[in-house]
């Protein structure tokens, strides 16, 4: 049977985690002649059950993990494990795959989980010498053999002591590996907390987007009612001044809320920076252990992928924020257009055209009676066509009930000409408070 191309199942199991007494190797020679096939005979103990992926490997004496095999052969499963003859098995190693040096080797039985279940005595691959053929003919030669046996026993004891030392060293390495795994679990817990914060931030932005949409719908509804509420603006002047103070206070609250949001973003960025520093330290530690800790390296790679995904999500949040900013600027532009439309409507109500805070575009620039800057068109185009200055001038005065223009009518027109009207909530501001009026309109777009 030739050596198969498929690699056997291995693991990083150390010597102290192996069970060498479950499979016993029989008739193992002290040395094998190079150039010939080697037959390995072994016996299963009573409680050991072989499996399909079990294999027998030749290891150089001093190995630490089952990955250090020189060559291997798959184990043939017996048909009936209860039969006594099935407990004794053998495999044959071809001469082509055997070692060519004179180092000491041994057979090891490894199951499909990568655990060693049995190991043979050491042997060599070297030619047969005359020194190896001993013929006892005299008492002196017998004494020489006994001396040689004592030396072999001493060497065997030294090998056992070396094995105990290796087991202790492997135990220390296993404890260190457990410590590193605990550090990895702690870092994974921190990552989960950071992902939870990012999810909360995402929910917050979705709520803000929904509120902006609701404000946009409310603004459209208010614009449709603007023509009806123009006649009621003069009576609400004193009340609107008090509400203006409340709105200014609300604007300050929104500014404080925005600063708080910026601080939270700063804390999140600092937390992400600390996470990256911890990740670099962990990468340096894993680099030192990567020869013996391949599994820990894979877990570290998964953690790096999660951090990369977290950075990508943070970039997506920034893009959403930029999109909301552009939507805000678009709403401000629409508010400016509504201001101009309001001023033009006031001019149709009989106010002085030149005294308005915003100039109405002429019909030559915008086309035949239509303002190109309006989003939904001019809802009062019918009033413009049906009304005339002569019809407006014959209105009765609400105070003295006189027809035509009287002192009360002129006073009311001058008062309206000196006021600024909010196109959103119909508030009235004196013309001298233009900056306050512009700040009030800007608050509606937040």
């Amino acid at each position: 049977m030739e050596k198969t191309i498929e690699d056997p199942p291995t693991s990083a199991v150390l010597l102290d985690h192996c069970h060498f007494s479950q499979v016993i190797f029989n008739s193992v020679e002290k040395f094998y002649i190079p150039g010939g096939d080697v037959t390995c005979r072994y016996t299963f103990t009573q409680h050991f059950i072989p499996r399909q992926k079990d294999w027998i490997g030749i290891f150089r004496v001093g190995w630490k993990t089952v990955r250090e095999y020189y060559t291997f052969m798959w184990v043939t499963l017996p048909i009936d494990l209860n039969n006594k003859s099935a407990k004794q098995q053998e495999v044959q190693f071809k001469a082509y795959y055997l070692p060519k040096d004179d180092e000491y080797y041994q057979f090891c039985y490894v199951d499909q989980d990568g655990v060693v279940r049995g190991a043979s005595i050491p042997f060599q691959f070297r030619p047969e010498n005359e020194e190896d053929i001993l013929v006892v003919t005299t008492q002196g030669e017998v004494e020489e053999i006994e001396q040689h046996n004592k030396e072999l026993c001493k060497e065997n004891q030294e090998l056992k002591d070396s094995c105990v030392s290796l087991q202790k060293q492997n135990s220390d390495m296993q404890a260190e590996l457990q410590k590193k795994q605990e550090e990895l679990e702690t870092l994974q817990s921190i990552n989960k907390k950071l992902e939870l914060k990012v999810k909360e931030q995402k929910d917050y932005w979705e709520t803000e987007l929904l509120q902006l949409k609701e404000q946009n719908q409310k603004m459209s509804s208010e614009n449709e009612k603007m023509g009806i509420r123009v006649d009621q603006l003069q009576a609400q002047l004193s009340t609107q001044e008090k509400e203006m103070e409340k709105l200014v206070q609300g604007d300050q609250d929104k500014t404080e809320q925005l600063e708080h949001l910026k601080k939270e973003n700063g804390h999140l960025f600092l937390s992400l920076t600390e996470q990256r520093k911890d990740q670099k330290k962990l990468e340096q530690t894993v680099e030192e252990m990567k020869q013996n800790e391949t599994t820990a390296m894979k877990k570290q790679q998964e953690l790096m992928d999660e951090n990369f995904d977290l950075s990508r999500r943070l970039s997506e949040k920034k893009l959403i924020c930029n999109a909301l900013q552009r939507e805000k600027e678009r709403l401000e532009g629409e508010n400016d257009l509504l201001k101009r439309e309001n001023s033009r409507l006031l001019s149709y109500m009989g106010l002085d055209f030149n005294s308005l805070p915003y100039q109405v575009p002429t019909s030559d620039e915008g086309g035949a009676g239509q303002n190109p800057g309006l989003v939904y068109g001019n809802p009062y185009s019918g009033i413009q066509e049906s009304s005339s200055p002569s019809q407006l001038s014959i209105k009765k005065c609400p105070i003295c009930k006189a027809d035509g223009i009287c002192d009360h009518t002129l006073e009311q027109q001058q008062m309206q000409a000196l006021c600024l009207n909010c196109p959103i909530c119909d508030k009235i501001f004196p013309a001298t408070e233009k900056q306050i009026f512009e700040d009030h309109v800007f608050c509606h777009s937040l």
Side-chain angles (χ1 to χ4, degrees):
M1 179 184 298
E2 296 182 355
K3 180 180 177 181
T4 58
I5 298 176
E6 180 184 1
D7 292 333
T10 59
S11 67
V13 178
L14 303 177
L15 293 175
D16 56 345
H17 287 255
C18 301
H19 306 276
F20 293 161
S21 61
Q22 296 183 356
V23 177
I24 301 173
F25 289 91
N26 304 319
S27 303
V28 179
E29 302 293 340
K30 294 183 179 180
F31 65 89
Y32 293 95
I33 299 174
D37 299 339
V38 174
T39 300
C40 174
R41 297 178 178 84
Y42 56 94
T43 303
F44 297 128
T45 57
Q46 181 178 1
H47 301 289
F48 179 74
I49 299 176
R51 291 181 288 180
Q52 184 177 3
K53 290 292 185 178
D54 292 357
W55 54 281
I56 295 178
I58 297 179
F59 292 78
R60 180 177 294 178
V61 174
W63 59 274
K64 295 181 180 179
T65 65
V66 294
R67 297 174 182 172
E68 301 177 12
Y69 65 89
Y70 184 86
T71 185
F72 79 98
M73 293 294 295
W74 293 112
V75 172
T76 302
L77 295 179
I79 298 175
D80 187 8
L81 290 175
N82 296 325
N83 190 357
K84 184 177 181 180
S85 61
K87 298 293 184 179
Q88 298 180 357
Q89 300 291 325
E90 66 179 31
V91 294
Q92 189 176 44
F93 290 89
K94 294 297 183 178
Y96 177 78
Y97 299 105
L98 297 176
K100 302 299 188 295
D101 53 24
D102 57 353
E103 296 290 336
Y104 281 94
Y105 292 89
Q106 63 181 146
F107 298 115
C108 290
Y109 187 100
V110 184
D111 64 9
Q112 67 180 15
D113 296 327
V115 179
V116 178
R117 300 297 181 177
S120 70
I121 62 174
F123 56 84
Q124 289 180 291
F125 293 93
R126 61 183 177 84
E128 183 178 5
N129 298 326
E130 294 181 357
E131 297 177 358
D132 299 322
I133 303 176
L134 300 179
V135 180
V136 180
T137 58
T138 63
Q139 183 65 28
E141 292 179 351
V142 172
E143 294 177 354
E144 183 179 355
I145 291 173
E146 291 178 353
Q147 182 66 26
H148 184 66
N149 288 335
K150 291 181 181 180
E151 292 177 356
L152 289 177
C153 291
K154 182 178 180 181
E155 183 179 357
N156 188 22
Q157 184 63 34
E158 291 177 354
L159 290 174
K160 290 181 179 180
D161 295 340
S162 177
C163 182
V164 172
S165 177
L166 288 175
Q167 289 178 353
K168 182 179 179 181
Q169 181 180 359
N170 290 331
S171 177
D172 295 339
M173 294 179 65
Q174 189 70 20
E176 185 177 359
L177 174 60
Q178 183 67 25
K179 181 178 179 181
K180 297 302 179 183
Q181 289 178 349
E182 292 177 356
E183 292 179 357
L184 283 175
E185 292 175 356
T186 303
L187 192 57
Q188 289 176 352
S189 176
I190 295 174
N191 277 338
K192 290 180 180 178
K193 293 181 181 179
L194 192 58
E195 288 177 358
L196 182 60
K197 290 183 180 179
V198 171
K199 184 178 180 182
E200 293 176 354
Q201 185 71 13
K202 179 181 178 181
D203 295 338
Y204 174 77
W205 282 115
E206 290 177 353
T207 304
E208 288 291 328
L209 181 60
L210 182 61
Q211 291 179 355
L212 287 175
K213 289 181 179 179
E214 292 177 353
Q215 290 180 0
N216 188 19
Q217 294 177 356
K218 183 179 178 181
M219 186 182 301
S220 300
S221 177
E222 291 291 337
N223 289 335
E224 293 176 357
K225 299 178 182 179
M226 189 181 352
I228 300 174
R229 299 181 62 184
V230 169
D231 296 335
Q232 302 174 356
L233 293 177
Q234 186 64 32
Q236 298 176 353
L237 180 59
S238 59
T239 305
Q240 296 296 335
E241 289 177 353
K242 296 179 181 180
E243 292 182 356
M244 178 60 192
E245 295 177 357
K246 294 180 180 180
L247 287 174
V248 170
Q249 183 65 30
D251 184 34
Q252 293 177 355
D253 295 339
K254 284 186 174 292
T255 303
E256 293 176 358
Q257 184 178 3
L258 182 60
E259 292 294 331
H260 181 68
L261 181 60
K262 290 180 179 179
K263 291 180 179 180
E264 289 183 353
N265 287 334
H267 293 326
L268 184 60
F269 180 77
L270 291 176
S271 178
L272 183 59
T273 303
E274 293 176 358
Q275 181 70 17
R276 289 177 178 173
K277 291 180 179 178
D278 294 338
Q279 181 183 349
K280 290 181 179 179
K281 293 180 180 178
L282 185 60
E283 289 176 355
Q284 293 176 358
T285 303
V286 173
E287 184 64 21
E288 296 174 356
M289 300 178 60
K290 66 180 181 179
Q291 294 181 356
N292 297 325
E293 310 299 336
T294 304
T295 304
M297 177 61 76
K298 291 181 180 179
K299 291 183 179 179
Q300 178 66 18
Q301 184 63 34
E302 293 175 357
L303 185 59
M304 292 172 65
D305 294 338
E306 291 177 0
N307 287 334
F308 178 78
D309 184 66
L310 188 60
S311 301
R312 180 180 61 78
R313 291 181 182 179
L314 186 58
S315 300
E316 290 177 357
K317 303 307 172 193
K318 291 182 179 178
L319 293 176
I320 293 174
C321 182
N322 294 332
L324 292 177
Q325 184 65 25
R326 289 194 294 270
E327 180 67 15
K328 172 184 173 184
E329 294 174 358
R330 186 183 67 79
L331 292 176
E332 290 178 354
E334 291 181 2
N335 283 335
D336 293 336
L337 293 176
L338 290 175
K339 290 179 187 178
R340 297 189 182 94
E341 180 64 17
N342 185 29
S343 300
R344 190 168 69 85
L345 290 175
L346 290 177
S347 67
Y348 286 129
M349 299 300 297
L351 300 178
D352 187 7
F353 179 76
N354 295 326
S355 63
L356 294 178
Y358 299 100
Q359 296 298 328
V360 181
T362 60
S363 60
D364 295 338
E365 297 175 354
Q370 295 292 335
N371 188 353
L374 293 178
V375 178
Y376 303 102
N378 184 7
Y380 305 103
S381 59
I383 298 175
Q384 180 181 1
E385 294 175 356
S386 61
S387 301
S388 63
S390 62
Q391 291 175 343
L392 294 174
S393 63
I394 62 175
K395 283 187 176 180
K396 290 185 178 182
C397 177
I399 299 176
C400 62
K401 306 299 182 179
D403 296 334
I405 301 173
C406 64
D407 294 339
H408 299 93
T409 303
L410 293 175
E411 182 179 356
Q412 184 178 7
Q413 291 178 355
Q414 291 176 359
M415 181 67 69
Q416 292 178 350
L418 296 177
C419 296
L420 301 174
N421 300 322
C422 177
I424 308 300
C425 63
D426 298 332
K427 288 186 179 181
I428 300 175
F429 300 89
T432 57
E433 298 179 355
K434 182 177 179 181
Q435 183 62 40
I436 298 177
F437 168 73
E438 292 178 353
D439 295 338
H440 170 76
V441 175
F442 176 74
C443 290
H444 286 293
S445 63
L446 293 178

